[in-house]
Amino acid sequence: MAEANLLLEELLIRAGVSNSRLARAIVSAAPHLNYDHSSVTRWIRDHQIPRDPVPQIICNILSDQLRVPISPADIGMDMPRGQNQQTAARLIAEASALWTGETRGRLPQALLTGPHASAPVWDWTSPPHSMVLLRDGARRADVTDVADLRKLRTHYQQMYRRVGGEPVRHLLARTLTTRCAPLLRSAYDNHLGRQLFRAAGGLAALAGVCAYDADLQPLGQRHLVTALRLAKAAGDRSFGAYVVALLANQALFLDDRLLTVQYVEAALRNGGSALDPALIIDLHALAGKAYARMGERDNFRTHLLKSTAIAGQLPVLPTEAEVSYVQPGLVETQAAEAFRRLNDLTAAEEHARESVLTAPGTHPRGRVHRYAGLALILAQKRRPDEAAEMGNEMLTMAEGMESGRIHDRILQVVTALRPFAPDPAAADFLTRAEQHLRLRGR
């Protein structure tokens, strides 16, 4: 199914032009044409491109209404689509269209795969590594606006870690549409523009995380690609590497192991000397997990050793807000999962127990994943009583969370313990877990 033409829809909304009004204006400009509101609906819903000269007529109508030049690329009717040089104006238009589309329920339906999935990251690695961000306008942005966007990101991140991605993504979509997009279209000099694009990128990346957590993978991927482009425009390579790490994490969830490794290598190679050590830890851990799934033990151990060595020197709190999830015990959590995949259950349990010991120092979502990881290992080692105990701890911490990823973890533990249902502890856990999933409509 074709994805909606969000660029055209968003410009029509900004211009206050309905589908019927646009069709009438087109026919008025070219009486030999025969279009109505349903024609415009198809152009938006199915991303159909009408024959020439209709795209240019639409541009003329919107240019007159908005009093700014509009090109066929701006309305998503360039031929072929997606091969235009990225400019700041184009980036703002595409980001705003994605955000507005989400608030209206128009979500991407298909993941970018193959070369299309790699292209945004390769574009990020290629020069130029920033844009000239200079705009005129009636409303002038200032440093207070940038500070507000950063505060909102911190607020939503804290909320996400408590309650999950599904409820937070709606709030983020509204903020991106009503606060962030108008600021990007306001007036600013190049220095402030870079700060503004960086702050907007932080919110866009978190929107990607929340959509991923809500099991809306195509939407999450598009948010992350948008965040990566905003990072490049702002010239912040360290932040760009963080976004690539998020893309790698999603690729690993989708079990695209080679793409995961490609993303990690690109982030490590192009992140620059200012790359946060906490992020380097996570990147090596992601690569290690990918290699473990491939059964490549040597490559897995190489990345595990690098991750562990840096973690031993890591301060308690990372310097960047986005990578504050990298807390003591994260390497052990990732290593435990990798060793479990390699069926080295002794090493897996050792690392998982260490991750649980340090769990009180991390956020609620992190604690859920750590207890779930240990429960899975204990179940695989046929110790249902201990696995059920860890599973119950996991359920207690998961109360109140609306999260696709947390649901997946609970379901994994349920599946692992179901063969042990005759065991009283396992039976009690299964009853409680199934009630938890049922109450949340899962």
Side-chain angles (χ1 to χ4, degrees):
M1 186 172 96
E3 292 183 5
N5 186 340
L6 298 177
L7 287 169
L8 175 59
E9 183 177 52
E10 205 263 342
L11 281 172
L12 288 174
I13 293 169
R14 281 177 53 199
V17 176
S18 68
N19 291 4
S20 297
R21 181 180 166 191
L22 178 63
R24 288 195 301 270
I26 292 170
V27 172
S28 176
H32 66 284
L33 298 175
N34 183 24
Y35 291 111
D36 59 17
H37 71 281
S38 61
S39 305
V40 181
T41 298
R42 287 193 299 274
W43 300 340
I44 294 172
R45 183 192 63 208
D46 302 327
H47 213 143
Q48 291 183 359
I49 300 177
R51 295 178 182 176
D52 289 334
V54 176
Q56 189 57 54
I57 292 174
I58 296 172
C59 291
N60 295 340
I61 294 166
L62 291 174
S63 294
D64 290 343
Q65 196 70 24
L66 294 170
R67 298 186 179 181
V68 294
I70 302 293
S71 72
D74 296 326
I75 61 171
M77 290 188 179
D78 48 321
M79 294 291 285
R81 291 199 306 268
Q83 294 186 10
N84 314 283
Q85 183 179 8
Q86 188 70 265
T87 63
R90 172 83 175 186
L91 174 53
I92 294 168
E94 290 179 344
S96 181
L98 175 67
W99 302 336
T100 303
E102 183 176 3
T103 63
R104 294 170 63 85
R106 292 193 180 277
L107 309 183
Q109 299 298 308
L111 282 162
L112 301 174
T113 58
H116 298 292
S118 303
V121 175
W122 305 146
D123 178 67
W124 169 68
T125 66
S126 304
H129 295 297
S130 64
M131 291 182 181
V132 175
L133 304 177
L134 180 67
R135 283 179 63 91
D136 294 322
R139 195 263 198 226
R140 189 158 199 85
D142 58 36
V143 292
T144 303
D145 294 314
V146 174
D148 287 345
L149 293 184
R150 289 172 176 165
K151 287 175 184 175
L152 282 168
R153 191 211 160 277
T154 299
H155 170 70
Y156 288 134
Q157 176 177 272
Q158 292 170 347
M159 187 183 299
Y160 159 72
R161 289 175 173 178
R162 290 195 307 270
V163 301
E166 181 58 35
V168 180
R169 81 172 182 87
H170 297 286
L171 299 172
L172 269 166
R174 187 162 65 246
T175 295
L176 286 165
T177 301
T178 62
R179 298 281 297 276
C180 210
L183 281 172
L184 291 177
R185 289 194 293 265
S186 65
Y188 38 80
D189 61 23
N190 190 56
H191 178 69
L192 183 63
R194 289 194 174 195
Q195 295 180 58
L196 197 57
F197 273 58
R198 170 63 175 83
L203 283 166
L206 185 59
V209 170
C210 288
Y212 158 82
D213 189 61
D215 251 342
L216 298 169
Q217 301 308 327
L219 176 63
Q221 185 186 51
R222 297 309 196 284
H223 277 308
L224 294 178
V225 168
T226 298
L228 186 59
R229 288 173 175 159
L230 289 166
K232 178 169 183 174
D236 192 326
R237 298 178 72 177
S238 181
F239 174 60
Y242 160 74
V243 178
V244 176
L246 295 179
L247 284 165
N249 187 67
Q250 183 187 43
L252 189 61
F253 168 73
L254 297 169
D255 207 30
D256 195 331
R257 305 159 191 181
L258 288 175
L259 186 62
T260 302
V261 172
Q262 289 172 7
Y263 282 161
V264 167
E265 289 176 348
L268 289 170
R269 185 173 60 250
N270 295 280
S273 58
L275 208 59
D276 193 299
L279 182 57
I280 297 174
I281 289 170
D282 191 40
L283 286 165
H284 282 299
L286 285 168
K289 287 175 70 174
Y291 280 121
R293 291 191 187 187
M294 297 179 204
E296 296 189 19
R297 291 175 178 267
D298 289 344
N299 281 327
F300 156 63
R301 291 184 183 278
T302 296
H303 284 280
L304 175 62
L305 287 172
K306 289 179 179 178
S307 190
T308 302
I310 300 169
Q313 304 168 10
L314 183 71
V316 175
L317 293 176
T319 57
E320 294 289 340
E322 278 90 358
V323 293
S324 60
Y325 65 90
V326 181
Q327 295 288 327
L330 178 71
V331 174
E332 286 74 19
T333 304
Q334 305 282 46
E337 173 67 17
F339 277 118
R340 185 176 73 84
R341 292 272 185 167
L342 292 167
N343 206 34
D344 186 344
L345 299 183
T346 300
E349 182 180 354
E350 178 184 340
H351 283 84
R353 288 198 178 279
E354 181 62 29
S355 77
V356 165
L357 284 175
T358 55
T362 190
H363 55 82
R365 287 178 55 82
R367 293 197 290 273
V368 171
H369 283 291
R370 293 181 187 207
Y371 277 90
L374 181 53
L376 288 170
I377 293 163
L378 292 169
Q380 200 165 335
K381 295 186 79 171
R382 307 190 67 79
R383 288 151 59 184
D385 286 10
E386 296 174 73
E389 181 184 357
M390 295 300 106
N392 279 311
E393 291 285 349
M394 170 194 70
L395 289 176
T396 298
M397 295 171 200
E399 286 298 328
M401 292 186 185
E402 295 294 334
S403 161
R405 300 287 65 73
I406 296 300
H407 164 260
D408 289 345
R409 292 298 268 174
I410 294 172
L411 198 55
Q412 286 173 2
V413 179
V414 167
T415 302
L417 278 171
R418 195 165 277 142
F420 302 101
D423 181 273
D428 288 345
F429 164 77
L430 290 170
T431 299
R432 184 183 173 194
E434 285 161 4
Q435 181 183 28
H436 175 100
L437 297 173
R438 185 169 60 253
L439 287 173
R440 282 151 186 80
R442 299 288 188 173

